[in-house]
Amino acid sequence: MDKTAIPFDFDATFGQLAEPFMLIASSSKVLALNLAAARLFKLSHEEVIGQYWAGLDGQLTLIGWRKEVQKLLADGLLRYHTDILTADELLRPVKVEITQAGTDVFLLNLKDQLDRVIDEADLELLSKKGEVGFWTYNRVDDQLYLSPHLRKITNLHEGGGALEITRFLEEKLLPSDWKRLRKKIKWLLAEQNSFNELIHFEDDNGSQNLRFFAHSTGNDLHVTRLFGMIRQQNDVIGTDDQDAVSGELAAFSIDQAQELIFWTRPDGTVSYANQMVLDVLGFSREEIVGKPAQVFNSNFTEEVKDAWWRLLRKEKFDRSLWKLEAKDGSIVEIDASVNYLRFGEEEFSCGFCRNVTGVLQEERRQLLTEFTVDNSRDMIIWTRSNGHIHFANTTFLERTGYPATEVIDADAKVFFPHLTGDYRKKVWARLRSGEALENEVALVTSTGEQVMVASRTEYLSFEGEEFTCVYLRDLTKKKKRDLQLLLSREALDMSVDCVLWLDAAFKVHYVNSTLLELVGQKGIDVKGKSYGKLLPQLDRKVIEEEGVMDVRVTAPDNTEHWLNLNIIKVSQGREHFYMITGRDITAIADRKDELEAANLEISQLSSRLKEENTSLREQVSINYNINNIITVSPKYQKVLKQVGQVADVDTTVLITGETGTGKELLAQAIHQLSERADEPLIKVNCAALPENLIESELFGHEKGAFTGAYARKRGRFEMAHKGTLFLDEVGELPLELQSKLLRVLQEDEFERLGGTETINVDVRLIAATNRNLQKMVQKGTFRADLYYRLNVFPIVNLPLRERPEDIPVLVDHFTHKFARRQRKNITKINSQDLKALKRYSFPGNIRELENLIERAVVLNQTEVLSIPLEANNKWMETGKKAFLSFEEAQRQHIIKALRKTDGRVTGPHGAGVLLGLNDRTLVSKMRKLDIRKVEYLIN
């Protein structure tokens, strides 16, 4: 819709108003808006024009907009709250009021809710807290406001942006307070919440304690605003009493101490916690002081508390390790030194606690290391220079079967018979030089069994003493695995397939006997050499891509063999190999030309089918579109509502109605509104196909299924897989095919004509007819079970005479359509002709109206369209039968006779006998009167 479609001068009416207004089309496209509305989006006027309200409204979709339009048209006014998307991708809360400003045009009034809510929040805070400094931050518009009283408290001058004020506060606060306050503000910007903190503020006038309150609100996606207040909380500072000042300094020192300091009462509540407690545990002072210690120590139950206080009263001092739970769920371990204090009748515990989380973690790491060594899969022993064992891990004890008492300080020779005196001297000399020794040795167990182990010995010096650290791995399983590998290698050599292994440099690592015999080579001559000596035709690029390749090999007897090679890359640690297996396909290669020819034919047929399918989908997309349905009729809105209800489900739909009412457009609308919209909509006109071709057209056929079937053809059901199949004039479907159609609807499967393969399809079916299927069922010309299967969701398409209010808009649509096509300038339609059209009954419905307007545009020579109705005068009075001419009466009488005989023209049961006419005479009259088959086969 362009500017000319706006029914009034929007800029002159709303352009200078401070209230935001917008004008949008029924498609939700923005036609106009004033500057106040553009500022809400933080965009220029030009950037908003042309966008869609369904996209600017953060909670609205295009489908949702269509539903809202229906409500608006019914009620005349639409109000709702939503969030609009700004240029920096933030959501601004607004109230929307929409009214209709003309045909397909709507006026929107937007009310910014952010400013209104902030004002109310500020007033509420002031009323509750009294005279305090308050502040607000509008995140959407990046606006920070500080009240005069707040500026007075902080000695902050007027002006200054958010960044300047932030830097000012950072200079005036203690580093720990600033770090804590900055973290909490970031938290509020991330989620809706609130907090209050006590901060120490320093300025030119001295020190003061300030209570800082903050709260954040927003929508489901992000925070839109922050607000809060600041008030002074100075109980001592400012007095002239030196003792009071000293007390304040002492309190400040305790509060800023690096240890965690708690005061608790016998009832388990916390009476004081210093700032370090708050920093380490992540709680605010209000979340701890006055609350049970179980807030951060879930193990401090009533029983534990009572027992602990009894001990503290008796001993006056306690030192214990405690595990505390921080607010984020992490565990903090403390070493607490607690003193018992009594002031009159009041008892307190005063705890000075050291955070030992890191120390205990290091101790646990040491224990974990010892556990790891003890439970290693390898046996580990330490021996001294005298050959005696100093340490043996649990794995060694379990494998040998000895207890630790018989191993520690025992001579290692008991377990390793090869350890002679000379051997030990040589080993120690090599170890002291920095060499690590590896070999296989026999380990003697407690049962006398000798177990072969892989040994690695290293030299260690610990606390001035020399040791050997020996790692031992049981080779029993390895020996078995080596035997299996040997057997596997023998199997590879005996395999009928050729096997070749290449290393990362494409050198021969292994080749089996089958390949060596085929090429007439010896393993010693090719191992470590390039693969080209064995398979000169093998392409290195195919190897790198792990591909498949056929190569020709000439045997020593000069016979040629074809090998089909498959390459796989195998990694073992950091080493990479290529495994190539080859199978002799000489017999298959002899048929290669035949197979390639067949493959070429299949490829050509596949390409042809894809082109036909693409062409068909493009044609469907061009010829039909849901927007082609034009109506203002309330009656027809009910029909479209049915379309919307059934579109999202896969229910079968039966559309009935007279010829020319647009049944196909309704089918297209159902398809486009469904989840299958991206898949094809395939149309079949059952009345336009000869009976002997309908089955082939619907279900396809195999090559040779009948005379002229030179290639396999896919049917319309296959083409509509995952999409929608539209069967137009389904009443014309031959009776013998109705059972096959019923099977597809029930089982989602069928066979092609002349084929045996069962094909499964996922198709949504929409059928249409202008015949009375119920009467056809009674006459036995249409299957009852198929009728009930099709009639799951019936939609009756209204004839044009039942929706006369649509005639003017349809006339306007067709006039513009044909005027553009014929390059004529038509600006008006003759009002008398338009009134006459409204009285006309249109037996041919919309199709007749379209043809009538096209003929009128062709004949018209002025800017005012005249619509000649002389040829249609016999239908001018709606609901009244016109007096027929003799020729027309003959024509209608013959059609009735043909319908009575179910379309049979000749023969003993034909219409000629019924009319008392010779068969040849009847056929001649039908040709003269232009009686078509479709007129008497449709009830």
Side-chain angles (χ1 to χ4, degrees), residues 236 240-248:
V236 179
D240 294 332
D241 188 343
Q242 290 297 315
D243 291 336
V245 173
S246 298
E248 172 66 15

Side-chain angles (χ1 to χ4, degrees), residues 130-284:
E131 186 179 352
V132 294
F134 67 89
W135 57 274
T136 63
Y137 175 62
N138 179 344
R139 187 183 188 185
V140 177
D141 296 320
D142 194 26
Q143 295 178 351
L144 176 65
Y145 173 75
L146 306 180
S147 71
H149 188 70
L150 189 149
R151 293 183 179 274
K152 179 180 178 181
I153 292 173
T154 58
N155 198 24
L156 185 63
H157 301 295
E158 289 291 336
L163 181 60
E164 182 180 343
I165 293 171
T166 300
R167 289 173 177 170
F168 172 81
L169 289 176
E170 184 177 5
E171 293 175 357
K172 302 300 181 182
L173 299 181
L174 290 174
S176 58
D177 285 348
W178 169 248
K179 181 179 179 181
R180 189 172 67 257
L181 189 64
R182 188 166 176 264
K183 181 179 179 181
K184 289 293 183 68
I185 291 294
K186 285 185 176 181
W187 173 53
L188 287 192
L189 288 172
E191 62 179 72
Q192 300 182 44
N193 221 310
S194 62
F195 73 87
N196 75 81
E197 287 286 339
L198 184 65
I199 58 176
H200 193 72
F201 186 82
E202 295 279 349
D203 61 10
D204 297 339
N205 297 326
S207 302
Q208 58 178 325
N209 290 328
L210 299 179
R211 178 64 64 178
F212 188 95
F213 296 88
H215 185 75
S216 62
T217 61
N219 49 53
D220 292 338
L221 294 181
H222 57 74
V223 169
T224 57
R225 67 189 186 96
L226 276 68
F227 62 90
M229 66 179 187
I230 295 177
R231 62 179 173 81
Q232 291 176 312
Q233 187 170 318
N234 296 320
D235 302 323
V236 179
I237 294 179
T239 179
D240 294 332
D241 188 343
Q242 290 297 315
D243 291 336
V245 173
S246 298
E248 172 66 15
L249 291 174
F252 177 76
S253 299
I254 293 173
D255 202 49
Q256 299 298 317
Q258 295 303 302
E259 292 182 312
L260 288 74
I261 301 176
F262 294 93
W263 284 54
T264 65
R265 291 187 170 89
D267 62 0
T269 59
V270 178
S271 58
Y272 172 77
N274 73 340
Q275 188 61 49
M276 184 56 65
V277 172
L278 308 180
D279 292 342
V280 172
L281 298 183
F283 291 99
S284 66

